[in-house]
Amino acid sequence: MAYTLEYFQKSVDYICRFVPYTPEVAIVLGSCLGPFADTIEDPIVIDYKDIPNFLVSTVESHAGKLIFGTVAGKKVVCMSGRFHSYEGYDFEQLVIPVRVFKLLGAKVTILTNAAGAVNTAYRPGDIMVVSDHIKLTGASPLRGPNVEEFGPRFFDVTRMYTPALRRLALECAEDTGLKAHEGVYMFFTGPQFETPAEIRAARILGADAVGMSTVTEALTAAHCGMPLLCLSVMTNMAAGVLDEPLCNGEVEATAKMIEDKFSGYVAKIVGRIGEVAL
C-alpha cells in the first residue's frame, strides 16, 4: 500500500463534508476511557467504517467513532477507540489517524491510555504524564517510503512529549482528586499482558508503566511536528508486582472508578492549552 499524501487526503475530504470548522485539539481515548466522549458539546459523530482509507477498531470497549465538537470552549476532534498492532494492523497503517488530524488542521494531540503500573509508588487510579517512552519491539510506523509533506526521513524525538504540555498537565491535576506522576511508558505489543520477568526487566530499564498502544501515534505526531501530550491511567499494577493474576475486568473497574474525574481533568487541560507557548 502506498501511503501518499493523497491517500490520507481522501479521509480528510470525506470528513470535511460533515464538519464545517478546523479542530484545534485532537484527542485519542484509550481502553475504557470512552466516557469522556459524552462530555463533548454539539457533537458531530462519524463512524470509522464510513471514512475512506481509515481503520476500524476491533476492541470491544472501543466505540469506533470520530467525534467533533467543543470542549472547554475549544473545537476538538476525538477518537473514541484507537487501533493497535495486536488487532492485526501493520505498524505502517497506524500512522493514519494522526496524519488525518494533521491534515484537518489540529495543532495539538492528546493521547490517553490504560496502563499497568511498574513503579511501585504508583497505585491504580493514578495518572502518569508521559515524559518519554521505551520501544524495543516491533517496527516503526514510519517504516517505508517517507512522505515529505508530513516530515523529514530522519527526525529528532528528544522532546516529542512536549515539556510545556507536561508541565501544564501536572499543574491541572491539582484539585482534581487525581494523583499525577511524570514517568516513562514502555511499549509491548500484546495482546497478552506482560510476564513478571518482562516487568522486572522494564523496571531495570527505567519504565514506570507499560502498555500496548500510544507509541506509534506519538512517533507519528513527532514526525508531523505536532505538540504532544500523553496521559496514562494506571488501571492495574503490572504483572508480578502483586501476588495475583491480571484480568481485564480490573482494568475496566479502575477506569470506571475515575472516569468522571479523568474527563474533567482532560477538559481542564484542553481549556488551558492556549496559555502555554508551544
Side-chain angles (χ1 to χ4, degrees), residues 42-148:
D42 302 318
I44 300 171
V45 182
I46 304 174
D47 286 346
Y48 294 165
K49 63 181 176 58
D50 294 332
I51 304 173
N53 293 343
F54 214 65
L55 305 178
V56 178
S57 180
T58 66
V59 180
E60 187 175 339
S61 62
H62 291 227
K65 297 179 185 298
L66 202 61
I67 305 172
F68 292 80
T70 304
V71 172
K74 289 188 170 57
K75 296 299 184 184
V76 304
V77 52
C78 179
M79 281 183 67
S80 186
R82 59 145 52 88
F83 314 115
H84 311 78
S85 63
Y86 66 68
E87 295 176 77
Y89 290 120
D90 295 332
F91 273 72
E92 295 90 330
Q93 291 177 282
L94 299 177
V95 301
I96 291 173
V98 174
R99 286 186 171 176
V100 168
F101 294 161
K102 177 71 173 181
L103 291 178
L104 284 169
K107 302 302 181 186
V108 174
T109 296
I110 299 177
L111 306 176
T112 73
N113 63 59
V118 175
N119 190 322
T120 56
Y122 294 4
R123 293 292 180 268
D126 287 0
I127 306 298
M128 186 181 79
V129 178
V130 177
S131 60
D132 205 344
H133 77 242
I134 301 169
K135 183 182 80 67
L136 301 180
T137 182
S140 168
L142 285 309
R143 181 171 147 292
N146 186 53
V147 184
E148 293 289 340

Side-chain angles (χ1 to χ4, degrees), residues 117 119-127 179 181 234-237 241 254:
N119 190 322
T120 56
Y122 294 4
R123 293 292 180 268
D126 287 0
I127 306 298
K179 185 173 183 180
H181 313 268
M234 301 298 106
T235 49
N236 58 281
M237 301 305 293
V241 177
T254 302

Side-chain angles (χ1 to χ4, degrees), residues 28 82-85 91 94-95 98 109 111-114 128 130-142 155 157 160-161 184-189 209-223 228-232:
V28 178
R82 59 145 52 88
F83 314 115
H84 311 78
S85 63
F91 273 72
L94 299 177
V95 301
V98 174
T109 296
L111 306 176
T112 73
N113 63 59
M128 186 181 79
V130 177
S131 60
D132 205 344
H133 77 242
I134 301 169
K135 183 182 80 67
L136 301 180
T137 182
S140 168
L142 285 309
F155 58 102
V157 293
M160 64 186 298
Y161 298 99
V184 176
Y185 178 93
M186 186 165 182
F187 171 74
F188 285 84
T189 55
V210 294
M212 307 172 193
S213 67
T214 300
V215 167
T216 53
E217 297 147 338
L219 288 169
T220 306
H223 181 248
L228 174 68
L229 174 66
C230 179
L231 305 171
S232 294

Side-chain angles (χ1 to χ4, degrees), residues 25 27 71-72 74 76 110 265-274:
V25 182
I27 305 168
V71 172
K74 289 188 170 57
V76 304
I110 299 177
Y265 173 51
V266 175
K268 186 177 179 180
I269 293 170
V270 170
R272 295 187 55 189
I273 279 178

